[in-house]
């Protein structure tokens, strides 16, 4: 290690650099100088090479030997440390800019009232970093930064990982700020049963379900989609509570409820992590399907049936106290109605507008 560091057109000199000059000018060997200083030649050599910070004890010895002050040497060490920290920050900012290129800053402007700050990339990075509560945006590249991926996917891109971590970090921070009791599984099961009754309450369900979940120690966070995140939802234990995040990228009521109950299934199974949009998690899928539409009634409705019209679907949905769009979504999922069926979609599927609270 050198006793000075160069970065761009600046140099930071370690106190050892100046101590070496003093030793050289004294006409003494380094060993003799060390003896006069009251330290070992090895300790002095390490200090001269810049491999160790100047201690208060060594600063005091130098001040007594050379007729300076202890503060003089400690200030020199502090000035060196501050310059090195500045060099490291500048180097880290370069790396952050590479990460930031993969994050859509407009997402924060549109949903979290960030100022536009056109062409002020450094300020944009600073705001995103502070909002996410991370020391550097580079930590977003860690595959399992905050939440484990439920299924190991080799083909996840760097952008996928970064943006998935952004969304989960936002959700976790919201959960940390939410005043809720510790997670109680029995209370949550009752809250889930209540949530099933709210699928037709399109205008007022969210505060009702959110409150019921929070009373059971589960913080529900719904976020608009962040480009390239590829996330459906995520769950994590946070400070005794459980965070459930749902990505509302499609805005359809049926996909929202299915995603929500998919994540609920994971919570009840104690399986925390991130769900990707192309994951095949049969157990959680089955939980969501069956809690929304009783399996026996669904089979009775679909057995020997080849065509489905609007009135059929509405009548069945009414019989199970369910939103008809959810029934349509299930029929599409099972391949009984093609996703290209636009007439029924327009008639039966409800769109949600996501407003981040």
């Amino acid at each position: 290690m050198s006793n000075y560091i160069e970065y761009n057109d600046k140099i930071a000199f370690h106190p050892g650099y100046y101590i070496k000059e003093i030793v050289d000018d004294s006409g003494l060997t380094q060993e003799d100088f060390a003896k006069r200083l009251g330290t070992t030649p090895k300790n002095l050599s390490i200090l001269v090479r810049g491999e160790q910070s100047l201690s208060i004890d060594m600063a005091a010895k130098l001040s007594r030997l050379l007729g300076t002050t202890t503060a003089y040497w400690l200030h020199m060490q502090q000035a060196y440390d501050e310059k090195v920290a500045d060099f490291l920050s500048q180097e880290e900012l370069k790396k952050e800019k590479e990460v930031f290129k993969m994050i859509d800053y407009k997402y924060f402007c549109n949903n979290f009232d960030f100022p536009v700050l056109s062409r002020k990339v450094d300020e944009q990075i600073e705001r995103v970093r502070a909002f996410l509560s991370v020391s550097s945006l580079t930590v977003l590249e860690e595959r399992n930064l905050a939440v484990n991926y439920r299924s190991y996917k080799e083909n996840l891109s760097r952008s996928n990982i970064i943006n998935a971590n952004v969304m989960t970090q936002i959700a976790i921070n919201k959960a940390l700020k939410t005043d809720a009791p510790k997670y109680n599984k029995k209370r949550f099961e009752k809250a889930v049963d209540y949530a099933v009754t709210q699928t037709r309450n399109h205008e007022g369900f969210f505060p009702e379900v959110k409150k019921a979940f929070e009373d059971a120690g589960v913080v529900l966070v719904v976020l608009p989609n962040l480009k390239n995140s590829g996330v459906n939802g995520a769950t994590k234990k946070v400070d005794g509570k459980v965070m459930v995040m749902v990505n509302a990228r499609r805005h359809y009521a049926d996909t929202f409820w299915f995603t929500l109950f998919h994540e609920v299934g994971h919570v009840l199974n104690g399986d925390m992590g991130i769900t990707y949009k192309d994951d095949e998690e049969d157990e959680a899928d089955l939980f969501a399907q069956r809690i929304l539409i009783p399996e026996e009634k669904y089979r009775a409705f679909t057995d020997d049936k080849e065509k489905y019209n609007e009135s059929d679907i509405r009548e069945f949905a009414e019989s199970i106290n369910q939103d008809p769009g959810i029934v349509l979504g299930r029929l599409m999922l099972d391949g009984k109605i093609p996703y290209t069926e636009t007439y029924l979609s327009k008639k039966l599927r409800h769109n949600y507008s996501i407003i981040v609270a």
Side-chain angles (χ1 to χ4, degrees):
M1 182 175 180
S2 173
N3 54 16
Y4 66 91
I5 295 175
E6 293 183 84
Y7 186 83
N8 293 335
D9 57 346
K10 297 179 181 179
I11 302 178
F13 292 98
H14 187 277
Y17 179 90
Y18 300 103
I19 294 170
K20 185 179 185 306
E21 286 188 337
I22 291 170
V23 173
D24 292 344
D25 290 344
S26 71
L28 298 170
T29 65
Q30 195 163 291
E31 182 178 357
D32 287 339
F33 191 91
K35 289 176 180 178
R36 291 191 180 193
L37 188 59
T39 189
T40 66
K42 180 179 179 181
N43 284 344
L44 181 59
S45 179
I46 290 172
L47 184 60
V48 164
R49 293 199 303 268
E51 295 176 358
Q52 181 174 292
S53 295
L54 186 69
S55 67
I56 294 175
D57 177 60
M58 187 62 74
K61 288 179 178 180
L62 285 165
S63 69
R64 290 194 294 269
L65 176 65
L66 302 171
T68 57
T69 65
T70 303
Y72 169 81
W73 290 101
L74 293 178
H75 176 74
M76 190 181 293
Q77 180 67 54
Q78 181 181 354
Y80 171 79
D81 290 342
E82 287 176 355
K83 273 194 174 182
V84 171
D86 183 55
F87 294 169
L88 292 174
S89 292
Q90 290 180 51
E91 188 63 26
E92 186 66 24
L93 184 59
K94 282 185 181 179
K95 297 175 184 177
E96 284 190 285
K97 286 180 179 179
E98 291 302 310
V99 173
F100 189 66
K101 287 177 183 178
M102 302 183 198
I103 301 172
D104 183 9
Y105 181 74
K106 290 180 182 177
Y107 177 82
F108 299 93
C109 299
N110 295 336
N111 298 294
F112 300 102
D113 297 322
F114 275 33
V116 176
L117 299 174
S118 297
R119 292 188 292 278
K120 296 180 179 179
V121 176
D122 290 4
E123 290 184 44
Q124 292 177 359
I125 289 173
E126 186 177 345
R127 286 183 177 272
V128 173
R129 187 199 301 134
F131 182 68
L132 297 179
S133 299
V134 294
S135 63
S136 168
L137 297 187
T138 59
V139 304
L140 299 172
E141 296 188 85
E142 295 179 23
R143 188 183 180 95
N144 294 326
L145 169 65
V147 182
N148 292 331
Y149 294 85
R150 290 198 175 99
S151 62
Y152 188 81
K153 299 179 67 59
E154 294 286 353
N155 61 344
L156 283 179
S157 70
R158 185 184 179 200
S159 180
N160 288 154
I161 293 169
I162 289 168
N163 287 289
N165 279 328
V166 169
M167 290 195 71
T168 52
Q169 202 66 37
I170 292 171
I172 289 167
N173 290 342
K174 282 183 170 289
L176 286 169
K177 294 175 183 176
T178 301
D179 184 17
K182 289 186 177 181
Y183 171 61
N184 184 298
K185 186 175 181 179
K186 288 186 177 179
R187 285 185 184 175
F188 186 50
E189 287 172 342
K190 290 180 180 179
V192 171
D193 289 339
Y194 173 70
V196 178
T197 69
Q198 295 296 301
T199 62
R200 297 197 292 178
N201 180 19
H202 297 304
E203 302 303 322
F205 80 89
F206 188 70
E208 296 288 332
V209 172
K210 192 172 189 296
K211 176 66 166 56
F213 279 21
E214 281 181 13
D215 288 344
V218 176
V219 180
L220 174 60
V221 181
V222 179
L223 294 176
N225 182 54
L226 174 60
K227 185 170 62 178
N228 294 326
S229 69
V231 170
N232 274 354
T235 56
K236 181 178 175 64
K237 288 184 178 178
V238 179
D239 192 28
K241 302 166 283 193
V242 172
M243 177 277 292
V244 172
M245 185 269 284
V246 174
N247 182 349
R249 71 173 176 274
R250 292 193 184 94
H251 292 253
Y252 283 124
D254 58 297
T255 55
F256 168 82
W257 287 106
F258 183 83
T259 301
L260 173 60
F261 286 115
H262 177 103
E263 297 305 321
V264 164
H266 281 301
V267 174
L268 293 175
N269 286 333
D271 176 25
M272 306 297 166
I274 290 178
T275 301
Y276 262 84
K277 61 186 177 184
D278 53 352
D279 280 352
E280 294 180 1
E281 300 179 287
D282 294 339
E283 192 171 349
D285 280 352
L286 286 173
F287 175 86
Q289 290 172 9
R290 289 170 178 173
I291 199 168
L292 287 168
I293 302 176
E295 196 64 22
E296 288 185 7
K297 292 183 178 181
Y298 178 71
R299 287 178 184 173
F301 172 60
T302 57
D303 275 352
D304 301 324
K305 200 173 185 67
E306 294 183 0
K307 292 185 178 181
Y308 301 85
N309 57 43
E310 180 184 351
S311 60
D312 288 338
I313 294 171
R314 287 189 182 278
E315 184 179 339
F316 176 64
E318 183 69 29
S319 72
I320 59 172
N321 192 30
Q322 201 54 271
D323 173 59
I326 289 175
V327 175
L328 176 62
R330 174 67 185 277
L331 292 169
M332 287 179 167
L333 182 68
D334 291 344
K336 298 181 183 298
I337 294 177
Y339 283 103
T340 53
E341 171 53 71
T342 56
Y343 175 80
L344 290 176
S345 288
K346 288 179 180 178
K347 288 290 186 179
L348 300 176
R349 298 181 90 183
H350 191 91
N351 269 297
Y352 288 155
S353 296
I354 305 303
I355 300 174
V356 180

